[in-house]
């Protein structure tokens, strides 16, 4: 008769355990959000600016190769937030006594919000200083003008842009994929979860 009775499923978390995971998961998500501040500062240091030259007649131009820096700034931001998400997921997986869905959601949400904050802070820190007056020969820019002596112009730098806000989704996706792939590789029903200390 005992052979036909359903057994208690193993490896499932109970509500009390999930509620016990909540404070630690919220702390971890808050740490990830705060890490977005130095991540934004790092991006502001690494992102290149685009130099522009404004001429008195209202024309403007950019030296050769400067236009590519707008793409470079966005690419650097994508790589930074993707790395941030993968590291956040890996660190979350290392917390063996808290493994489970609560920590997965905290890692994905915290890295997503941290990446959004990194983009905002990086954009503010990268704002260019006021233009610096220089003398530029218009022939060097390829613009139409009278050849000869240099004319007064303004050399300015456009601040780099981290790109649209949804790039931050890369961080949340990276954290979630890292955590889920680690659980798949582990192969245990309880994800190798240790008893809380």
């Amino acid at each position: 008769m005992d052979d036909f009775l359903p057994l208690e499923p193993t490896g499932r978390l109970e509500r009390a355990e999930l509620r016990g995971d909540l404070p630690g998961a919220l702390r971890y998500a808050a740490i990830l959000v705060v890490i977005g501040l130095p991540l934004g500062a790092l991006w502001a240091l690494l992102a290149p600016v685009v130099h522009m030259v404004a001429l008195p007649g209202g024309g403007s131009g950019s030296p050769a190769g400067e236009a590519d820096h707008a793409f470079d700034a966005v690419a650097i931001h994508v790589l930074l937030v993707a790395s941030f998400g993968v590291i956040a997921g890996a660190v979350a997986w290392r917390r063996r006594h808290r493994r489970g869905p609560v920590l997965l959601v905290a890692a994905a949400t915290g890295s997503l919000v941290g990446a959004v904050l990194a983009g905002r802070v990086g954009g503010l820190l990268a704002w260019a200083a006021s233009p610096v007056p220089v003398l530029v020969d218009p022939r060097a820019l390829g613009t139409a003008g009278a050849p000869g002596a240099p004319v007064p112009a303004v050399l300015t730098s456009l601040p780099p842009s981290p790109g649209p806000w949804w790039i931050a989704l890369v961080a949340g996706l990276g954290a979630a994929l890292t955590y889920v792939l680690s659980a798949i590789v582990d192969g245990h029903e309880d994800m190798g979860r240790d008893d809380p200390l």
Side-chain angles (χ1 to χ4, degrees), residues 2 9 31 37 48 75 80 90 101 103 119 125 147 152 156 158 168 174 188-191 196:
D2 289 339
I31 289 169
L37 295 171
L80 280 176
L103 192 57
L125 292 177
T156 185
L158 299 176
H188 293 95
E189 287 185 15
D190 62 352
M191 295 191 295

Side-chain angles (χ1 to χ4, degrees), residues 123-152:
L124 289 174
L125 292 177
W127 191 257
S130 56
V132 179
V134 295
L135 294 176
V136 176
D137 185 357
R139 291 178 300 170
L141 298 173
T143 60
V151 297

Side-chain angles (χ1 to χ4, degrees), residues 150-164:
V151 297
V154 176
L155 175 65
T156 185
S157 56
L158 299 176
S161 170

Side-chain angles (χ1 to χ4, degrees), residues 7 18 22-23 26-28 31 34 51 53 57 61 86 92 104 117 130-131 134 144 149 152:
L7 299 175
L18 292 175
L22 195 56
L26 290 175
R27 279 193 302 272
Y28 185 63
I31 289 169
V34 171
H51 296 291
V53 178
V86 168
L104 168 63
L117 185 63
S130 56
V134 295

Side-chain angles (χ1 to χ4, degrees), residues 45-129:
L45 288 173
L46 296 176
V49 297
V50 178
H51 296 291
M52 300 288 293
V53 178
L55 299 172
S60 65
S62 61
E66 288 293 320
D68 296 335
H69 290 328
F71 171 77
D72 297 340
V74 174
I76 290 170
H77 182 62
V78 169
L79 291 174
L80 280 176
V81 298
S83 303
F84 172 57
V86 168
I87 292 170
V91 170
W93 180 253
R94 295 289 298 162
R95 300 188 70 190
R96 294 182 66 94
H97 63 285
R98 293 293 180 205
R99 284 183 184 169
V102 176
L103 192 57
L104 168 63
V105 171
T109 305
S111 59
L112 171 67
V113 175
V116 169
L117 185 63
R120 300 285 180 176
V121 168
L124 289 174
L125 292 177
W127 191 257

